[in-house]
Amino acid sequence: MTTPGVVNLAQKFALFTEQWSPKIVGELNGQEVRIARIGGEFVWHAHEDADELFLVVRGVLRMALRDGDRVVREGELLIVPRGVEHKPVAETEEVWMLMFEPAGTLNTGTAASEPGGRERTVAELERL
Ligand code: NI
């Protein structure tokens, strides 16, 4: 059993500057709480076995979905169900977001082995 400790998100985001490299800031029930800084756009992908939650901490996220974009602002969240293709896009210069998803979920999902996705896959996530 671990001792509960308060996680200060601003402090955690200040520990790194690289984009599209999720960091683990908490774990519970086989899920991970991850944070990431993003800029520009990612690749289209889906996660066959994982629903994925995105909570915007700073900036504006545009989540492209095949049936239309969703704009997610500070303090808002979006859950992308498993199997649904999505492409995160930073609408502002940089977006800080928190993600909640099963441990081991690859950031590039179904695009992990495809050109364009392979080089953006982060297999080992750092813990902050
Ligand atoms: Ni995803």
Side-chain angles (χ1 to χ4, degrees):
M1 198 168 77
T2 50
T3 306
V6 173
V7 175
N8 183 295
L9 290 178
Q11 288 175 358
K12 296 295 188 187
F13 276 107
L15 294 175
F16 64 100
T17 56
E18 71 261 52
Q19 298 184 332
W20 301 109
S21 183
K23 313 294 184 190
I24 299 168
V25 297
E27 294 170 84
L28 67 163
N29 304 319
Q31 306 257 325
E32 288 172 350
V33 180
R34 304 173 174 182
I35 61 172
R37 291 170 174 248
I38 67 168
E41 61 180 56
F42 203 54
V43 290
W44 281 103
H45 67 281
H47 307 276
E48 298 301 345
D49 300 310
D51 304 325
E52 202 169 32
L53 177 149
F54 298 85
L55 168 69
V56 173
V57 175
R58 180 174 293 186
V60 179
L61 169 70
R62 182 159 53 86
M63 186 65 77
L65 302 176
R66 295 302 187 188
D67 70 350
D69 295 355
R70 308 291 192 273
V71 175
V72 191
R73 302 176 189 282
E74 285 183 14
E76 296 181 333
L77 66 84
L78 175 71
I79 298 171
V80 177
R82 63 195 64 194
V84 172
E85 285 188 289
H86 56 286
K87 181 179 73 166
V89 180
E91 195 74 7
T92 45
E93 188 177 348
E94 185 169 71
V95 176
W96 294 5
M97 61 184 190
L98 179 150
M99 287 152 295
F100 188 58
E101 56 198 306
T105 302
L106 271 186
N107 62 325
T108 46
T110 49
S113 59
E114 295 171 6
R118 193 180 298 118
E119 56 269 23
R120 306 198 70 167
T121 300
V122 183
E124 277 294 310
L125 302 191
E126 187 182 353
R127 284 178 168 73
L128 298 181

